[in-house]
Amino acid sequence: MPPNTTASTGQQPGKSGRRKGRKARLFVLVLVLALIGGVAYGSYWSISTVRASFPQTKGTLTLKGLSGPVEVKRDDYGIPQIYASSDADLFMAQGYVQAQDRFYEMDVRRHMASGRLSEMFGKSQVDNDEFLRTLGWDRVAKQEYDTKLSASTKKYLQAYAQGVNSYLQGKDGEDLSLEYAALGFTNDYKPQAWTPVDSISWLKAMAWDLRGNMQDEIDRALLTSRLGPKQIAELYPRYPYGRNKAIVQEGQYSELTKAFEQGGTSGASGTSGTSGTGGTSTGTAGTAGTAGTASGGSGTPGTASGTSGTASGASGTGGLDSQLGGLTDVLDDLPSAVGVNGDGIGSNSWVVGGRYTITGKPLLANDPHLSPSLPSVWYQMGLHCRSVSSTCQYDVSGYTFAGMPGVIIGHNQDIAWGMTNSGVDVTDLYLEKITGDGYLYDGKVKPFKTREETIKVAGGEPRKIVVRQTEDGMPLLSDRDEELVKVGKKATVDTAAPDRGDGYGVALRWTALQPGTTMDAVFAMDRAKNWTDFRKAAAQFEVPSQNLIYADNENHIGYTLPGKIPMRTKKDDGSVPAPGWDPEYRWTGYIPQDALPYEYDPERGYIVTANQAVIDPDKYPYTLTADWGYGARSQRITDLIQSKIKDGGKISTDDMRQMQLDNSSEIARLLVPTLLKIDPGNKDVREAQKLLEGWDYTQDADSAAAAYFNAVWRNVLKLAFGNKLPKELRPKGQCLWVEPVNTTGPADEAEKVRECGRRDPDRAQPDGGDRWFEVVRGLMNQPDSDWWQTPKVGTRPAAHNRDELFKRAMIDARWELTAKLGKDIDSWSWGRLHRLFLKNQTLGTAGPGFVQYALNRGPWELGGGEATVNATGWNAAGGYGVVWVPSMRMVVNLGDLDKSKWINLTGASGHAYSAHYVDQTDKWADGELLPWSFSDQAVEKSTTDKLVLKP
């Protein structure tokens, strides 16, 4: 194992144990920086500059404000376990320790959340700051702190901030992190004191990336420029409830008690209740009606026809298509907090009850799928009261975010919990008919609420903007992009909508823009002792809405869906932008907490959550979303559990780990039998086709078959769908000759126009996720569908049916891999295509080349894939590179907490040349887990460094 680091921070001298290889790399780095710095700036970095920010991890330090001594024990991987005698001391020390390891990350996060990135990075971030100021996350966070949070939560936040600021005291930027020394080359930025609101703001950033179906809402409207209602419906198929089970399988909503009941009572209906939306009971087929009226057709009966009123108002116009495309451009550029700007976010979490485990007590696994970042978005630590009492209430260990007190996912001495994104629809876009300084609502012109924001810019002049909001607090996003203003003025609409006037704007309704109590929930979960405590705590977890999975040492398991989830009228299922001028499209309230689905000790003995549908709509009256994940991962996990427990089998901690690493491809299982029946008509393509013979559909890093199949799959998607989508959904750099907009029939070559994709490759469509699995599955029995047609290109043949298109995809894939991996198929492997690069999310992506070299790491060749349990995601429209990952993995053993296992994507440290920068990554890539000590004895045994903080 790598040696732990003990380094001087200016408070106490220390020694640093370094690997020889890193010493050499560090020496090279210093030479490069010395040369560049000496020439350009008349100064240079030294080894002392690089090491100045390394944390002190041994000895004793004085920390003003503590009421008693605090111990910080670190293991071989630098993971801290903090021991204190009061809550305030515990969280103050947490702030100090996290600042030691990750302050630069914390500082960037708070600047992003508050729309102040330009203060650090200059004019390149002004557009992002304008958008973030318009959303106003920090303003909402301040309202939460002032009006919503409990006195105890405020006390903890204050103590945490005090700990961070104690670490900052007397330090210059280069004493905090290497990145500040790099920033010093170009500006005079100085870190400011930490505040409690800085911690709360990060919850808003997290919620933004987990916000639900906003992108689907935009995409459906954009698709109407090239596709008709039937085609759009085929691209958003119904959730396969019969094949991929929902999370909640026992219990129903009771009309009598107006609550969800585990035993269930009759009277539930997918179309009853306040939401009144049949869109859920019929899956997303209702969306077809939405799209239908967009181009003038008739909608599907029921709710969808109401929603289609929105589309008939504006969505079918080229003006709005451009407007929403402009909004997508803004979203592309916005830095992601934890995910790929809300797309592709998934996670796995499941719990197995004691009757099916070797220990006789529950086992709980979790691996959230988020964007890869360096350092990891997660920070591992333990928070321990020496004696749990009313004055010191916590004994908890797990994963948190640097910059936030408490633990987000993990376990305490009594219970364990995990999270996956629920995907419920908590955002709606509204088209606003703007007139002068106001907007039309219910036949009247309402004045906008306005505020002025000043954006400070490093190395430049401040920028002032005016933020406009509707009376009910919806920010006008279209104000943040000049293209949106122009196209809004030019938008053409039919007679169902109000006159254009000054044009349409786009406003956002989102639950996270209202003050909430999620920070209270974090602390309440950390100290919960049983299911009742946990459910009460979960009810406060308003935003983002998460699937919460539970286990305790009394042998109970459970699941609950918390969150502030809107109710909509019968006209609106939230699947497309709604007409803001019509009151019947406003939210009518929020689903009562007692009515939200849950399960407790289900008869089947296990619960699986992996972003699938929460509940069958026939059992539930409220619309949760029109856009679930389609359940490929959840059903595979269920199958793996069932195969283990059949015939009396028992599941171990290591079985849970191995399930997390399952690489099986559901779409390969569906397509390969058909692919093998096709004569490719070329010996080189036939050679590649033979790789699929006998393949077990697992996507290991060394698999040539996986490489070839995924290339075929990518080309199937491109030929059948990607080349037929509007430019706003296609990847940047892909240019095609296509029929002019609003025509779908054949056209002469002379009549075609050249259009280039506009979307970031990591977010383009078709992305190849499990929605596309369902799309292709639905078309497999329609071999003559128009989707299977594609024109000839050069020497590549045209396709007129399914098998011809598959043949073409096999040909294209063969030559694509020949170009990428070489002609010799024996040298092919999935890992050579599917690589992970870890990049510092600021200077590692946009800094000078030498700084990127200093901060970034990789590549790692990975197995796994899209919509696979081992979800190393890639976007089929953009390429094969890894764009999201299991950001951590954990397995909690409720029979013996010290036998639990965990791992992080990177390491505990955010310091580029610390021994703990990426010291977990190799093991993470190999599917290993680390020991997770919890008891006092186990922590003491694993401790390598001990730091005592004294008053």
Side-chain angles (χ1 to χ4, degrees):
M1 294 183 180
N4 205 287
T5 300
T6 307
S8 172
T9 61
Q11 294 160 304
Q12 176 173 310
K15 296 181 179 180
S16 177
R18 313 299 300 152
R19 298 190 211 178
K20 291 182 179 179
R22 289 204 174 152
K23 277 188 176 180
R25 190 175 181 186
L26 182 60
F27 181 68
V28 171
L29 169 69
V30 171
L31 288 179
V32 172
L33 297 181
L35 176 62
I36 295 174
V39 171
Y41 303 97
S43 61
Y44 60 90
W45 289 352
S46 64
I47 290 177
S48 63
T49 301
V50 175
R51 289 179 173 170
S53 57
F54 288 178
Q56 179 179 337
T57 58
K58 290 182 178 179
T60 302
L61 287 172
T62 298
L63 196 57
K64 186 177 179 180
L66 290 176
S67 62
V70 175
E71 292 176 299
V72 182
K73 301 179 180 181
R74 294 181 185 255
D75 65 11
D76 283 341
Y77 289 88
I79 299 170
Q81 305 282 341
I82 300 176
Y83 289 82
S85 298
S86 73
D87 291 339
D89 283 358
L90 192 64
F91 294 117
M92 184 177 177
Q94 184 182 18
Y96 186 90
V97 170
Q98 286 190 349
Q100 279 188 308
D101 286 335
R102 300 276 194 97
F103 182 74
Y104 177 76
E105 176 193 12
M106 294 162 58
D107 200 16
V108 171
R109 282 180 174 179
R110 65 167 167 176
H111 278 78
M112 182 182 74
S114 59
R116 294 166 49 221
L117 289 169
S118 300
E119 294 179 14
M120 296 183 74
F121 305 109
K123 64 181 181 181
S124 67
Q125 296 301 312
V126 168
D127 288 346
N128 287 331
D129 283 349
E130 288 183 356
F131 189 83
L132 292 163
R133 292 287 184 95
T134 300
L135 289 172
W137 294 343
D138 62 329
R139 297 174 63 86
V140 180
K142 179 75 163 59
Q143 292 174 38
E144 286 187 8
Y145 184 79
D146 290 341
T147 66
K148 287 285 188 177
L149 297 181
S150 68
S152 61
T153 294
K154 290 181 181 181
K155 177 183 175 182
Y156 302 154
L157 288 165
Q158 291 162 1
Y160 180 90
Q162 187 177 359
V164 174
N165 292 328
S166 293
Y167 183 71
L168 298 182
Q169 190 172 3
K171 292 182 174 65
D172 294 326
E174 67 180 24
D175 299 324
L176 299 172
S177 186
L178 180 63
E179 289 91 335
Y180 290 114
L183 283 176
F185 281 168
T186 57
N187 66 54
D188 57 356
Y189 171 78
K190 303 294 183 186
Q192 301 300 307
W194 192 264
T195 72
V197 173
D198 292 333
S199 295
I200 303 168
S201 295
W202 181 241
L203 286 172
K204 302 303 176 184
M206 181 177 73
W208 176 255
D209 280 350
L210 304 175
R211 63 191 178 273
N213 77 334
M214 180 171 155
Q215 193 63 59
D216 288 313
E217 215 173 306
I218 294 170
D219 287 356
R220 284 192 179 95
L222 293 172
L223 285 169
T224 60
S225 68
R226 289 208 167 272
L227 302 178
K230 180 177 181 294
Q231 293 169 307
I232 295 174
E234 288 174 328
L235 299 187
Y236 288 88
R238 186 181 189 274
Y239 184 91
Y241 289 97
R243 185 175 68 254
N244 297 343
K245 299 298 184 184
I247 298 171
V248 175
Q249 300 173 36
E250 300 177 19
Q252 273 188 329
Y253 177 82
S254 169
E255 288 286 3
L256 182 64
T257 63
K258 303 298 182 185
F260 192 88
E261 297 182 350
Q262 177 89 29
T265 59
S266 60
S269 168
T271 55
S272 64
T274 37
S275 73
T277 55
T280 308
S281 64
T282 57
T284 50
T287 312
T290 303
T293 4
S295 55
S298 59
T300 323
T303 310
S305 63
T307 307
S308 67
T310 308
S312 66
S315 293
T317 69
L320 184 63
D321 292 341
S322 297
Q323 191 171 28
L324 292 173
L327 176 57
T328 300
D329 292 342
V330 174
L331 299 181
D332 269 345
D333 292 336
L334 193 65
S336 62
V338 297
V340 191
N341 284 325
D343 292 339
I345 299 296
S347 301
N348 302 323
S349 188
W350 67 95
V351 61
V352 180
R355 80 171 186 261
Y356 292 130
T357 68
I358 288 175
T359 66
K361 292 291 180 72
L363 295 171
L364 185 150
N366 196 187
D367 56 291
H369 308 155
L370 305 172
S371 288
S373 61
L374 183 59
S376 166
V377 69
W378 297 108
Y379 185 88
Q380 297 157 283
M381 72 186 318
L383 301 171
H384 308 278
C385 288
R386 294 188 177 95
S387 177
V388 176
S389 66
S390 59
T391 58
C392 197
Q393 305 173 72
Y394 296 89
D395 188 13
V396 61
S397 183
Y399 297 84
T400 186
F401 299 121
M404 278 182 56
V407 167
I408 306 297
I409 294 174
H411 70 82
N412 59 29
Q413 68 272 37
D414 299 306
I415 74 167
W417 66 97
M419 295 185 189
T420 64
N421 195 32
S422 70
V424 299
D425 188 359
V426 295
T427 59
D428 277 337
L429 292 174
Y430 285 87
L431 309 178
E432 300 296 344
K433 198 282 186 216
I434 300 173
T435 303
D437 294 328
Y439 63 98
L440 185 67
Y441 181 72
D442 198 18
K444 300 176 183 177
V445 175
K446 301 274 189 177
F448 282 110
K449 296 179 180 178
T450 63
R451 69 175 187 272
E452 187 177 89
E453 298 272 357
T454 300
I455 298 170
K456 297 179 182 178
V457 182
E461 294 299 317
R463 177 83 62 91
K464 291 184 182 294
I465 64 169
V466 175
V467 175
R468 296 193 287 180
Q469 289 181 297
T470 61
E471 267 190 346
D472 49 359
M474 294 193 296
L476 201 65
L477 300 187
S478 50
D479 278 351
R480 299 284 71 86
D481 188 273
E482 291 182 7
E483 181 188 18
L484 298 183
V485 176
K486 292 176 183 178
V487 299
K489 291 181 178 180
K490 296 177 181 178
T492 56
V493 296
D494 63 24
T495 55
D499 292 338
R500 179 180 63 204
D502 290 333
Y504 290 115
V506 180
L508 172 68
R509 183 87 187 263
W510 178 33
T511 54
L513 297 183
Q514 302 168 27
T517 56
T518 302
M519 200 71 241
D520 283 340
V522 170
F523 295 113
M525 286 193 293
D526 284 355
R527 61 178 181 262
K529 294 184 176 299
N530 51 45
W531 174 247
T532 300
D533 289 349
F534 184 75
R535 283 264 287 168
K536 184 177 179 181
Q540 297 177 290
F541 205 103
E542 294 183 342
V543 178
S545 177
Q546 298 287 286
N547 295 313
L548 297 182
I549 203 162
Y550 166 94
D552 64 35
N553 56 18
E554 295 295 325
N555 229 345
H556 300 292
I557 64 173
Y559 161 84
T560 189
L561 174 70
K564 202 169 187 178
I565 303 172
M567 296 188 293
R568 298 174 174 86
T569 66
K570 292 183 178 181
K571 282 189 173 184
D572 183 16
D573 68 357
S575 63
V576 295
W581 49 84
D582 188 342
E584 293 197 36
Y585 286 86
R586 284 300 196 262
W587 294 353
T588 60
Y590 298 94
I591 300 175
Q593 288 294 312
D594 287 346
L596 291 172
Y598 73 94
E599 276 193 335
Y600 184 61
D601 289 337
E603 185 176 343
R604 65 186 179 279
Y606 59 87
I607 303 170
V608 176
T609 81
N611 316 111
Q612 77 270 41
V614 168
I615 189 169
D616 190 317
D618 291 339
K619 298 181 179 180
Y620 199 65
Y622 298 105
T623 296
L624 297 174
T625 185
D627 295 296
W628 300 115
Y630 282 79
R633 283 180 289 107
S634 62
Q635 194 56 45
R636 176 62 179 170
I637 295 166
T638 298
D639 292 344
L640 291 170
I641 293 172
Q642 291 177 342
S643 70
K644 282 287 184 182
I645 65 177
K646 70 179 181 180
D647 302 324
K650 302 289 185 179
I651 293 175
S652 69
T653 300
D654 196 60
D655 290 331
M656 299 284 274
R657 178 190 68 85
Q658 291 185 44
M659 291 179 194
Q660 290 178 322
L661 303 178
D662 183 79
N663 286 333
S664 178
S665 169
E666 180 186 339
I667 192 62
R669 198 177 302 274
L670 174 68
L671 296 187
V672 166
T674 301
L675 294 174
L676 289 174
K677 294 176 182 177
I678 295 170
D679 180 3
N682 177 283
K683 66 180 182 63
D684 291 315
V685 180
R686 172 61 183 145
E687 182 185 31
Q689 184 188 38
K690 286 181 178 179
L691 292 171
L692 304 180
E693 295 177 356
W695 180 42
D696 62 359
Y697 312 124
T698 59
Q699 302 169 93
D700 295 332
D702 61 358
S703 172
Y708 182 58
F709 172 77
N710 282 320
V712 173
W713 171 235
R714 180 176 186 239
N715 281 278
V716 166
L717 291 169
K718 178 180 177 181
L719 296 169
F721 310 104
N723 292 349
K724 298 163 188 170
L725 300 180
K727 63 182 181 293
E728 291 85 1
L729 275 70
R730 298 202 314 269
K732 293 175 182 176
Q734 184 198 65
C735 298
L736 302 172
W737 288 97
V738 296
E739 290 86 2
V741 168
N742 296 326
T743 66
T744 56
D748 295 334
E749 190 69 30
E751 295 177 341
K752 293 188 176 183
V753 295
R754 183 172 170 82
E755 287 187 351
C756 296
R758 289 178 46 182
R759 188 164 289 182
D760 186 275
D762 291 350
R763 300 180 60 246
Q765 294 293 341
D767 62 16
D770 60 358
R771 172 164 71 91
W772 294 99
F773 291 10
E774 289 303 309
V775 170
V776 171
R777 187 188 300 275
L779 293 170
M780 286 296 286
N781 294 325
Q782 304 176 51
D784 296 318
S785 167
D786 289 345
W787 288 112
W788 300 125
Q789 297 182 20
T790 194
K792 177 181 178 180
V793 175
T795 61
R796 309 288 170 84
H800 305 92
N801 57 46
R802 182 197 67 193
D803 289 356
E804 289 181 0
L805 186 137
F806 282 6
K807 176 180 176 179
R808 167 73 177 278
M810 287 195 293
I811 294 170
D812 289 358
R814 179 24 158 144
W815 300 120
E816 180 187 1
L817 294 198
T818 297
K820 290 180 180 294
L821 303 178
K823 188 174 182 180
D824 181 6
I825 65 171
D826 290 337
S827 69
W828 291 1
S829 71
W830 176 225
R832 287 181 62 196
L833 291 172
H834 193 53
R835 300 191 299 168
L836 169 66
F837 291 85
L838 291 176
K839 296 183 178 181
N840 177 287
Q841 293 301 289
T842 55
L843 300 178
T845 58
F850 74 89
V851 174
Q852 293 190 37
Y853 174 83
L855 300 178
N856 297 340
R857 300 291 183 269
W860 285 265
E861 297 183 356
L862 301 183
E866 180 68 18
T868 301
V869 179
N870 184 18
T872 56
W874 57 287
N875 186 304
Y880 302 100
V882 176
V883 296
W884 58 82
V885 294
S887 55
M888 62 79 160
R889 297 187 183 102
M890 75 174 194
V891 179
V892 182
N893 183 333
L894 273 299
D896 184 346
L897 292 170
D898 288 330
K899 292 182 179 178
S900 301
K901 303 286 185 178
W902 63 351
I903 201 157
N904 207 347
L905 173 64
T906 64
S909 179
H911 301 292
Y913 285 90
S914 165
H916 305 305
Y917 192 47
V918 289
D919 58 339
Q920 297 186 50
T921 308
D922 286 345
K923 291 183 179 296
W924 172 90
D926 290 339
E928 298 180 40
L929 298 176
L930 302 177
W932 185 355
S933 299
F934 180 71
S935 68
D936 293 349
Q937 298 87 347
V939 169
E940 185 64 31
K941 185 176 180 180
S942 65
T943 295
T944 59
D945 286 7
K946 184 185 296 185
L947 176 68
V948 178
L949 303 175
K950 290 188 174 181

